[in-house]
Amino acid sequence: MGLTGLGVVHALTFLAAMHIESGALEPAFSDWWADAIPVYVVYPPNRHLSAKVRVFVDWLATLFAKNEAAVQSVIRT
């Protein structure tokens, strides 16, 4: 909605970073940031974790770790 000019958007920074860098979106409240919200992956404990679940959890952890530096650079610009 923000990209089409329909108003103000509250989005995860790493999801909007590409659009902020390109100039398609502009931070409106650059001096205000919401507290970080923890993300949890919950799955039943057992000795034989599904390969699909393990790959997903690893992918998610990598995604957030890679984007942490990008988020910090966008937040401080």
Side-chain angles (χ1 to χ4, degrees):
M1 291 178 64
L3 290 172
T4 60
L6 293 176
V8 177
V9 177
H10 184 197
L12 297 172
T13 306
F14 78 87
L15 294 176
M18 174 178 60
H19 301 295
I20 293 170
E21 290 171 2
S22 73
L25 290 177
E26 182 177 329
F29 302 103
S30 57
D31 59 337
W32 178 85
W33 298 97
D35 293 334
I37 299 171
V39 175
Y40 299 94
V41 177
V42 180
Y43 49 88
N46 61 30
R47 293 169 34 159
H48 304 289
L49 184 62
S50 162
K52 290 178 184 180
V53 172
R54 178 80 265 153
V55 168
F56 174 73
V57 170
D58 291 344
W59 171 79
L60 198 58
T62 302
L63 176 70
F64 278 90
K66 280 196 312 188
N67 286 298
E68 184 175 355
V71 167
Q72 292 306 316
S73 69
V74 170
I75 287 174
R76 302 299 172 221
T77 58

